[in-house]
Amino acid sequence: MSASKDIEQGATFTPKFDSDGLITAISQDAVTGQVLMVAYMNKEALDLTIKTGNAVFFSRSRKRLWKKGEESGHVQKVRQILVDCDQDCLILKVEVDQGQCHVGYQSCFYRALKPDSLVELEFIAEKVYDPEQAYKK
Amino acid sequence: MSASKDIEQGATFTPKFDSDGLITAISQDAVTGQVLMVAYMNKEALDLTIKTGNAVFFSRSRKRLWKKGEESGHVQKVRQILVDCDQDCLILKVEVDQGQCHVGYQSCFYRALKPDSLVELEFIAEKVYDPEQAYKK
């Protein structure tokens, strides 16, 4: 197989990290299918995720490994890791017991563009926990 | 509200494009919840998507606008656009009638890391169309 065909049709996991050493990772609720959040992993974060079974990301703002839930307690138990055709994006199928967004919602995607608007958002979810309490711990 | 609070808790759509002028966009089947693909949009692609109701991306490899389905006919009708807390990632809730991955699968995520393996993938889907036929048209 050519390199490209091998990446797309082969059975070897060869995640493609970008020029910053990162790969996009989507956390999706393994039960409901809801997309919870999108974050990034470097190789170490991915290895730790596979090894520990809990999602570990690389925080671009804090420039360090970020074990999801290390502050809030809202961990993600990884049940399956999917990779896309060109192996530059991952989906983590996760089990969660609490809201996953630091703003207080179950998912980071709690707003949608209003129909026929270019700028106005509508809220499509309710908060499921109080972040001020969760991050005080 | 502070700028950050406004972005996270406000009702104004202010998509954050990265240094290359791109924002990550996840296409998710509006009916089944399956994540179909992950691509990128520049402002023009996003505006065209909103205006036409069909997903338009920016192809990083071809460095040009890419109307999803322009070759294969596998368009994505956009029913809703969600944005995440920091407004640097979008979900397109889409209706599709055919496979969305150029390799022939319904979703680009047709492989998963085998349990207890760091390198071995297993196929979790069957092809739903023949790409050689679709891209010949």
Side-chain angles (χ1 to χ4, degrees):
Chain A
M1 282 197 273
S2 69
S4 158
K5 203 169 176 186
D6 204 40
I7 289 166
E8 292 184 347
Q9 312 214 20
T12 304
F13 185 45
T14 51
K16 188 177 162 190
F17 298 93
D18 68 14
S19 55
D20 294 322
L22 301 177
I23 190 167
T24 304
I26 300 167
S27 288
Q28 185 179 25
D29 190 306
V31 179
T32 66
Q34 184 179 29
V35 173
L36 300 169
M37 53 174 282
V38 175
Y40 299 86
M41 290 178 163
N42 61 6
K43 186 170 185 318
E44 190 180 358
L46 176 58
D47 288 349
L48 280 169
T49 298
I50 296 171
K51 191 175 158 190
T52 65
N54 288 309
V56 179
F57 300 105
F58 183 83
S59 168
R60 294 178 303 171
S61 56
R62 290 174 283 177
K63 301 192 193 314
R64 66 165 177 85
L65 288 179
W66 158 42
K67 186 186 167 190
K68 176 66 188 155
E70 63 190 6
E71 280 185 70
S72 66
H74 301 178
V75 297
Q76 297 183 349
K77 295 187 180 182
V78 179
R79 294 305 173 216
Q80 198 177 31
I81 298 176
L82 277 57
V83 65
D84 73 346
C85 42
D86 53 1
Q87 301 210 30
D88 68 356
C89 187
L90 306 173
I91 292 177
L92 312 180
K93 294 275 196 173
V94 299
E95 273 179 39
V96 295
D97 57 1
Q98 297 170 101
Q100 291 298 308
C101 177
H102 75 287
V103 181
Y105 296 90
Q106 182 68 21
S107 159
C108 294
F109 295 89
Y110 49 84
R111 291 170 297 182
L113 195 59
K114 276 196 182 177
D116 302 319
S117 174
L118 289 169
V119 293
E120 212 179 339
L121 297 174
E122 59 188 351
F123 286 76
I124 55 171
E126 300 285 336
K127 289 190 183 181
V128 295
Y129 75 97
D130 179 354
E132 287 193 14
Q133 288 299 320
Y135 289 94
K136 219 187 275 175
K137 284 174 199 165
Chain B
M1 283 198 272
S2 68
S4 158
K5 204 170 177 186
D6 205 39
I7 289 166
E8 292 185 346
Q9 311 214 20
T12 303
F13 185 47
T14 50
K16 188 177 162 191
F17 298 93
D18 68 13
S19 55
D20 293 323
L22 301 176
I23 190 167
T24 304
I26 300 168
S27 287
Q28 184 179 26
D29 190 307
V31 179
T32 66
Q34 184 178 29
V35 173
L36 299 169
M37 53 174 281
V38 175
Y40 299 86
M41 288 178 166
N42 61 4
K43 185 167 185 321
E44 191 180 357
L46 176 57
D47 287 349
L48 280 169
T49 298
I50 295 171
K51 191 174 159 190
T52 65
N54 287 309
V56 179
F57 301 104
F58 183 83
S59 168
R60 294 179 302 173
S61 56
R62 289 174 285 177
K63 300 193 194 314
R64 67 164 175 86
L65 287 179
W66 158 42
K67 187 186 167 191
K68 176 66 186 157
E70 62 190 5
E71 280 185 70
S72 66
H74 301 178
V75 297
Q76 297 182 348
K77 294 188 181 180
V78 179
R79 293 304 173 218
Q80 198 178 31
I81 298 176
L82 277 56
V83 65
D84 74 346
C85 42
D86 53 2
Q87 301 210 30
D88 68 355
C89 186
L90 306 173
I91 293 177
L92 311 180
K93 295 274 196 174
V94 299
E95 272 179 40
V96 295
D97 57 1
Q98 297 170 100
Q100 291 299 307
C101 177
H102 74 287
V103 182
Y105 296 90
Q106 182 68 21
S107 160
C108 293
F109 295 89
Y110 48 84
R111 291 171 298 182
L113 195 59
K114 275 197 182 177
D116 303 319
S117 174
L118 289 169
V119 293
E120 212 179 340
L121 297 174
E122 58 188 351
F123 286 75
I124 55 172
E126 301 284 335
K127 289 190 183 181
V128 295
Y129 75 95
D130 179 353
E132 288 193 15
Q133 288 299 320
Y135 289 94
K136 220 188 273 176
K137 283 172 200 165

